[in-house]
Amino acid sequence: MSETSKTGRRGPNSSPRERAGSVSAIVLAGGRSSRFGSDKLAARYGDSTLLARAVSGVAAVSTEVIVVVAPGDDRQLPAAVVPVQRAIDPEPFGGPLVGLLAGLEVAREPIALVVGGDMPTLAPGVLRMMIGGLDASEGARDAAVLVQRGEMRPLPCVLRNGAATQSARHLLGEGERSLLALIRTLSVLSVAEGDWRPLDPTAATLLDVDLPGDLPSDPAGSRRHE
């Protein structure tokens, strides 16, 4: 079940942490990078890497960041303004739902923000809107997603940990690996494009990098609508 709704915003003088609430951010970083041709999460983007940019983006609206990596991936994790920890995907390249469950099982907070490690241009204002909308639903909704051109986008998404963990375990037991399949089992708050696009006119929050040519040419420009 889904609902497209206008989300309320708190006052401009509230701090980012107050607007975010208690949120665990989960960064899915266990993919193969097969289409990119090399480890895309280590690819340079401006003065940083794709993974560091994703971690920085979610750290602005969360109390902890969990980076889910493939078994044997001992890369140094980026530092952030909140604690950053590693979670190990129990199945090499098992798909996003396997990695998400690994992150949910170590998350400390009741709400989880989920993004890909290849999403370097997340707009914190949009993430706060999603988190605030789910929080304001007071349990009536278990997930929040963005709508673009009439379609729900699976990442970024915001989930209630308990409901999402239970559903993910059930779906994996049935052989399902899709993140969108999980979202479709939950009661969803769909954030209308007309609500979130003023905070992110170029829809940079939805960018994920699959090929080298997907990298935006202006890293500084992605920070203009935070």
Side-chain angles (χ1 to χ4, degrees):
M1 178 169 62
S2 65
E3 173 184 273
T4 300
S5 171
K6 291 184 179 295
T7 54
R9 303 182 196 175
R10 302 194 183 191
N13 294 325
S14 59
S15 71
R17 207 63 70 220
E18 289 171 334
R19 291 195 294 271
S22 297
V23 177
S24 295
I26 298 173
V27 180
L28 302 177
R32 294 179 185 272
S33 300
S34 56
R35 284 182 286 175
F36 195 83
S38 61
D39 180 5
K40 66 179 175 181
L41 301 184
R44 302 302 299 180
Y45 180 57
D47 58 358
S48 188
T49 65
L50 290 188
L51 180 58
R53 288 286 299 239
V55 168
S56 176
V58 296
V61 298
S62 65
T63 55
E64 65 170 351
V65 178
I66 300 159
V67 181
V68 183
V69 298
D73 184 343
D74 59 356
R75 76 178 70 224
Q76 183 175 351
L77 299 182
V81 296
V82 297
V84 179
Q85 65 172 305
R86 184 188 316 268
I88 305 300
D89 196 329
E91 182 180 339
F93 315 118
L97 193 55
V98 176
L100 171 61
L101 182 58
L104 289 171
E105 288 178 336
V106 300
R108 297 180 301 180
E109 305 291 4
I111 291 179
L113 164 65
V114 187
V115 305
D118 59 353
M119 302 180 78
T121 52
L122 298 162
V126 174
L127 303 181
R128 292 184 189 110
M129 174 176 279
M130 298 173 71
I131 293 165
L134 185 61
D135 186 53
S137 76
E138 298 182 344
R141 304 292 170 189
D142 293 320
V145 299
L146 299 178
V147 173
Q148 184 187 41
R149 301 188 185 98
E151 299 290 334
M152 292 192 306
R153 298 293 298 266
L155 290 176
C157 65
V158 182
L159 306 171
R160 292 196 187 276
N161 194 331
T165 298
Q166 181 178 0
S167 186
R169 287 172 177 161
H170 175 75
L171 288 171
L172 287 169
E174 295 187 336
E176 180 60 68
R177 302 302 175 98
S178 164
L179 183 56
L180 191 56
L182 169 68
I183 291 169
R184 286 173 173 159
T185 68
L186 301 173
S187 177
V188 177
L189 173 69
S190 299
V191 182
E193 190 164 6
D195 289 342
W196 66 266
R197 282 297 283 266
L199 298 173
D200 182 8
T202 64
T205 298
L206 296 177
L207 172 70
D208 63 325
V209 176
D210 291 324
L211 302 169
D214 295 335
L215 286 166
S217 59
D218 181 13
S222 67
R223 297 189 177 100
R224 291 173 189 157
H225 303 291
E226 294 184 3

